[in-house]
Amino acid sequence: MASATRALLVAAVTAAALFGTALGATYTVGAPAGSWDLRTNYTQWTSTIRFYTGDELRFQYPAAAHNVVEVTRTAYYNCSSSSPVATFPSGNGVIPLAAVGTRYFICGVPGHCAGGMKVQVNVQSKVVRCRGRGARQRCTQTTPQPSSAAQAGAEPVLALGLAAVVGGLMLLY
């Protein structure tokens, strides 16, 4: 294999790995056993997942029965949707977790938050570190992988990036 082809292959694999870790995972709130409803225990659901920058939350629910309101910490603990940070009424909202910090979501339908329809999400930083130079560069993600319970509600992205890279390499030959 020529050194130029080898360098291209290493660069492509590194790019695919970084692409996959940068995009993160999409977590369907309450999955796999529940959804955005009055039956799901969201404290228990979040206890099995570590959320990182680049991840997304998907809220799925009947729009006629519920909504999602992002609120401040105080509004979360008081179940108040009177001054929302944002409102997601569609029934299939996808919310990117772009920054480190705690995010608070409630159902704004009267009585639903008090009935347990609220979730607090702690978003941590995702750090990729690279060592070496050129073809010897090795990059690793310093965040732990999600548990198998968390992965049940996540949609992996890395496979898509790797498939695109392999398809591109096949075109070269």
Side-chain angles (χ1 to χ4, degrees):
M1 187 182 291
S3 63
T5 306
R6 188 176 308 129
L8 178 62
L9 179 62
V10 169
V13 171
T14 302
L18 293 175
F19 174 76
T21 59
L23 289 179
T26 300
Y27 294 95
T28 300
V29 176
S35 64
W36 189 236
D37 56 39
L38 286 162
R39 296 180 308 271
T40 303
N41 180 330
Y42 300 104
T43 302
Q44 183 178 8
W45 179 73
T46 58
S47 71
T48 64
I49 303 171
R50 290 189 181 173
F51 298 97
Y52 297 103
T53 54
D55 290 348
E56 297 176 325
L57 294 179
R58 172 174 285 131
F59 287 87
Q60 293 181 317
Y61 55 91
H66 303 294
N67 62 23
V68 176
V69 180
E70 184 171 5
V71 296
T72 64
R73 182 181 188 277
T74 301
Y76 175 82
Y77 286 106
N78 292 322
C79 283
S80 172
S81 61
S82 62
S83 297
V85 172
T87 303
F88 307 93
S90 73
N92 191 22
V94 177
I95 301 166
L97 302 175
V100 172
T102 303
R103 307 268 304 264
Y104 302 93
F105 302 94
I106 66 173
C107 181
V109 174
H112 288 197
C113 176
M117 281 188 75
K118 61 185 196 174
V119 63
Q120 173 181 324
V121 176
N122 299 312
V123 183
Q124 301 174 20
S125 177
K126 181 186 291 188
V127 179
V128 176
R129 297 179 194 238
C130 298
R131 294 184 182 181
R133 294 176 187 242
R136 294 182 175 225
Q137 185 175 31
R138 301 286 184 256
C139 298
T140 58
Q141 180 180 338
T142 60
T143 55
Q145 295 299 314
S147 67
S148 58
Q151 286 178 344
E155 299 170 10
V157 177
L158 183 57
L160 177 63
L162 289 176
V165 169
V166 170
L169 291 174
M170 290 175 73
L171 291 175
L172 290 174
Y173 292 101

PDB file of all heavy atoms in Angstrom, residues 11-30:
ATOM      1  N   ALA A  11      -6.253   9.083   8.063  1.00  0.00           N
ATOM      2  CA  ALA A  11      -6.991  10.338   8.218  1.00  0.00           C
ATOM      3  C   ALA A  11      -8.493  10.089   8.167  1.00  0.00           C
ATOM      4  O   ALA A  11      -9.259  10.678   8.939  1.00  0.00           O
ATOM      5  CB  ALA A  11      -6.582  11.325   7.137  1.00  0.00           C
ATOM      6  N   ALA A  12      -8.929   9.209   7.270  1.00  0.00           N
ATOM      7  CA  ALA A  12     -10.356   8.925   7.142  1.00  0.00           C
ATOM      8  C   ALA A  12     -10.901   8.240   8.388  1.00  0.00           C
ATOM      9  O   ALA A  12     -11.977   8.583   8.876  1.00  0.00           O
ATOM     10  CB  ALA A  12     -10.606   8.061   5.903  1.00  0.00           C
ATOM     11  N   VAL A  13     -10.182   7.266   8.915  1.00  0.00           N
ATOM     12  CA  VAL A  13     -10.630   6.561  10.115  1.00  0.00           C
ATOM     13  C   VAL A  13     -10.653   7.514  11.305  1.00  0.00           C
ATOM     14  O   VAL A  13     -11.594   7.520  12.102  1.00  0.00           O
ATOM     15  CB  VAL A  13      -9.747   5.321  10.387  1.00  0.00           C
ATOM     16  CG1 VAL A  13     -10.050   4.716  11.741  1.00  0.00           C
ATOM     17  CG2 VAL A  13      -9.956   4.290   9.278  1.00  0.00           C
ATOM     18  N   THR A  14      -9.632   8.364  11.444  1.00  0.00           N
ATOM     19  CA  THR A  14      -9.601   9.350  12.524  1.00  0.00           C
ATOM     20  C   THR A  14     -10.770  10.313  12.391  1.00  0.00           C
ATOM     21  O   THR A  14     -11.441  10.624  13.378  1.00  0.00           O
ATOM     22  CB  THR A  14      -8.264  10.125  12.517  1.00  0.00           C
ATOM     23  OG1 THR A  14      -7.199   9.185  12.657  1.00  0.00           O
ATOM     24  CG2 THR A  14      -8.204  11.137  13.637  1.00  0.00           C
ATOM     25  N   ALA A  15     -11.028  10.791  11.169  1.00  0.00           N
ATOM     26  CA  ALA A  15     -12.142  11.712  10.950  1.00  0.00           C
ATOM     27  C   ALA A  15     -13.479  11.055  11.292  1.00  0.00           C
ATOM     28  O   ALA A  15     -14.345  11.673  11.904  1.00  0.00           O
ATOM     29  CB  ALA A  15     -12.154  12.200   9.502  1.00  0.00           C
ATOM     30  N   ALA A  16     -13.641   9.790  10.932  1.00  0.00           N
ATOM     31  CA  ALA A  16     -14.883   9.087  11.241  1.00  0.00           C
ATOM     32  C   ALA A  16     -15.066   8.939  12.744  1.00  0.00           C
ATOM     33  O   ALA A  16     -16.168   9.110  13.265  1.00  0.00           O
ATOM     34  CB  ALA A  16     -14.888   7.710  10.576  1.00  0.00           C
ATOM     35  N   ALA A  17     -13.988   8.630  13.453  1.00  0.00           N
ATOM     36  CA  ALA A  17     -14.078   8.496  14.907  1.00  0.00           C
ATOM     37  C   ALA A  17     -14.442   9.822  15.557  1.00  0.00           C
ATOM     38  O   ALA A  17     -15.295   9.890  16.437  1.00  0.00           O
ATOM     39  CB  ALA A  17     -12.761   7.972  15.468  1.00  0.00           C
ATOM     40  N   LEU A  18     -13.805  10.896  15.103  1.00  0.00           N
ATOM     41  CA  LEU A  18     -14.115  12.211  15.658  1.00  0.00           C
ATOM     42  C   LEU A  18     -15.522  12.647  15.277  1.00  0.00           C
ATOM     43  O   LEU A  18     -16.235  13.234  16.076  1.00  0.00           O
ATOM     44  CB  LEU A  18     -13.093  13.242  15.186  1.00  0.00           C
ATOM     45  CG  LEU A  18     -11.673  13.049  15.723  1.00  0.00           C
ATOM     46  CD1 LEU A  18     -10.731  14.061  15.087  1.00  0.00           C
ATOM     47  CD2 LEU A  18     -11.643  13.150  17.230  1.00  0.00           C
ATOM     48  N   PHE A  19     -15.957  12.345  14.048  1.00  0.00           N
ATOM     49  CA  PHE A  19     -17.303  12.669  13.595  1.00  0.00           C
ATOM     50  C   PHE A  19     -18.342  11.990  14.471  1.00  0.00           C
ATOM     51  O   PHE A  19     -19.290  12.606  14.932  1.00  0.00           O
ATOM     52  CB  PHE A  19     -17.450  12.231  12.133  1.00  0.00           C
ATOM     53  CG  PHE A  19     -18.837  12.371  11.579  1.00  0.00           C
ATOM     54  CD1 PHE A  19     -19.332  13.619  11.231  1.00  0.00           C
ATOM     55  CD2 PHE A  19     -19.636  11.257  11.387  1.00  0.00           C
ATOM     56  CE1 PHE A  19     -20.602  13.746  10.699  1.00  0.00           C
ATOM     57  CE2 PHE A  19     -20.898  11.385  10.857  1.00  0.00           C
ATOM     58  CZ  PHE A  19     -21.386  12.627  10.516  1.00  0.00           C
ATOM     59  N   GLY A  20     -18.143  10.726  14.743  1.00  0.00           N
ATOM     60  CA  GLY A  20     -19.088   9.973  15.558  1.00  0.00           C
ATOM     61  C   GLY A  20     -19.163  10.475  16.979  1.00  0.00           C
ATOM     62  O   GLY A  20     -20.233  10.568  17.560  1.00  0.00           O
ATOM     63  N   THR A  21     -18.018  10.823  17.579  1.00  0.00           N
ATOM     64  CA  THR A  21     -18.045  11.278  18.961  1.00  0.00           C
ATOM     65  C   THR A  21     -18.535  12.709  19.062  1.00  0.00           C
ATOM     66  O   THR A  21     -19.085  13.106  20.071  1.00  0.00           O
ATOM     67  CB  THR A  21     -16.653  11.167  19.617  1.00  0.00           C
ATOM     68  OG1 THR A  21     -15.729  11.947  18.874  1.00  0.00           O
ATOM     69  CG2 THR A  21     -16.201   9.734  19.709  1.00  0.00           C
ATOM     70  N   ALA A  22     -18.370  13.509  18.019  1.00  0.00           N
ATOM     71  CA  ALA A  22     -18.815  14.898  18.068  1.00  0.00           C
ATOM     72  C   ALA A  22     -20.332  14.988  17.996  1.00  0.00           C
ATOM     73  O   ALA A  22     -20.933  15.845  18.614  1.00  0.00           O
ATOM     74  CB  ALA A  22     -18.197  15.685  16.924  1.00  0.00           C
ATOM     75  N   LEU A  23     -20.964  14.116  17.211  1.00  0.00           N
ATOM     76  CA  LEU A  23     -22.403  14.190  17.060  1.00  0.00           C
ATOM     77  C   LEU A  23     -23.147  13.670  18.273  1.00  0.00           C
ATOM     78  O   LEU A  23     -24.223  14.146  18.569  1.00  0.00           O
ATOM     79  CB  LEU A  23     -22.842  13.421  15.818  1.00  0.00           C
ATOM     80  CG  LEU A  23     -22.460  14.074  14.502  1.00  0.00           C
ATOM     81  CD1 LEU A  23     -22.927  13.216  13.348  1.00  0.00           C
ATOM     82  CD2 LEU A  23     -23.044  15.465  14.399  1.00  0.00           C
ATOM     83  N   GLY A  24     -22.622  12.705  18.971  1.00  0.00           N
ATOM     84  CA  GLY A  24     -23.269  12.213  20.166  1.00  0.00           C
ATOM     85  C   GLY A  24     -24.407  11.255  19.873  1.00  0.00           C
ATOM     86  O   GLY A  24     -24.554  10.735  18.779  1.00  0.00           O
ATOM     87  N   ALA A  25     -25.249  11.086  20.872  1.00  0.00           N
ATOM     88  CA  ALA A  25     -26.354  10.140  20.797  1.00  0.00           C
ATOM     89  C   ALA A  25     -27.667  10.881  20.962  1.00  0.00           C
ATOM     90  O   ALA A  25     -27.718  11.956  21.550  1.00  0.00           O
ATOM     91  CB  ALA A  25     -26.209   9.092  21.898  1.00  0.00           C
ATOM     92  N   THR A  26     -28.735  10.279  20.435  1.00  0.00           N
ATOM     93  CA  THR A  26     -30.080  10.807  20.640  1.00  0.00           C
ATOM     94  C   THR A  26     -30.787   9.890  21.618  1.00  0.00           C
ATOM     95  O   THR A  26     -30.910   8.692  21.367  1.00  0.00           O
ATOM     96  CB  THR A  26     -30.857  10.873  19.303  1.00  0.00           C
ATOM     97  OG1 THR A  26     -30.149  11.724  18.408  1.00  0.00           O
ATOM     98  CG2 THR A  26     -32.263  11.407  19.527  1.00  0.00           C
ATOM     99  N   TYR A  27     -31.229  10.443  22.738  1.00  0.00           N
ATOM    100  CA  TYR A  27     -31.917   9.674  23.770  1.00  0.00           C
ATOM    101  C   TYR A  27     -33.399   9.992  23.738  1.00  0.00           C
ATOM    102  O   TYR A  27     -33.792  11.146  23.883  1.00  0.00           O
ATOM    103  CB  TYR A  27     -31.353  10.004  25.160  1.00  0.00           C
ATOM    104  CG  TYR A  27     -29.925   9.566  25.328  1.00  0.00           C
ATOM    105  CD1 TYR A  27     -28.882  10.451  25.102  1.00  0.00           C
ATOM    106  CD2 TYR A  27     -29.627   8.257  25.700  1.00  0.00           C
ATOM    107  CE1 TYR A  27     -27.566  10.043  25.251  1.00  0.00           C
ATOM    108  CE2 TYR A  27     -28.317   7.849  25.839  1.00  0.00           C
ATOM    109  CZ  TYR A  27     -27.292   8.740  25.615  1.00  0.00           C
ATOM    110  OH  TYR A  27     -25.999   8.330  25.747  1.00  0.00           O
ATOM    111  N   THR A  28     -34.224   8.980  23.543  1.00  0.00           N
ATOM    112  CA  THR A  28     -35.666   9.154  23.622  1.00  0.00           C
ATOM    113  C   THR A  28     -36.037   9.133  25.096  1.00  0.00           C
ATOM    114  O   THR A  28     -35.811   8.135  25.789  1.00  0.00           O
ATOM    115  CB  THR A  28     -36.396   8.049  22.851  1.00  0.00           C
ATOM    116  OG1 THR A  28     -35.977   8.111  21.476  1.00  0.00           O
ATOM    117  CG2 THR A  28     -37.902   8.223  22.931  1.00  0.00           C
ATOM    118  N   VAL A  29     -36.572  10.247  25.577  1.00  0.00           N
ATOM    119  CA  VAL A  29     -36.865  10.413  27.005  1.00  0.00           C
ATOM    120  C   VAL A  29     -37.818   9.323  27.468  1.00  0.00           C
ATOM    121  O   VAL A  29     -38.893   9.128  26.912  1.00  0.00           O
ATOM    122  CB  VAL A  29     -37.442  11.812  27.290  1.00  0.00           C
ATOM    123  CG1 VAL A  29     -37.836  11.950  28.754  1.00  0.00           C
ATOM    124  CG2 VAL A  29     -36.432  12.883  26.904  1.00  0.00           C
ATOM    125  N   GLY A  30     -37.388   8.582  28.493  1.00  0.00           N
ATOM    126  CA  GLY A  30     -38.179   7.506  29.069  1.00  0.00           C
ATOM    127  C   GLY A  30     -37.969   6.142  28.445  1.00  0.00           C
ATOM    128  O   GLY A  30     -38.415   5.135  28.990  1.00  0.00           O
TER     129      GLY A  30
END
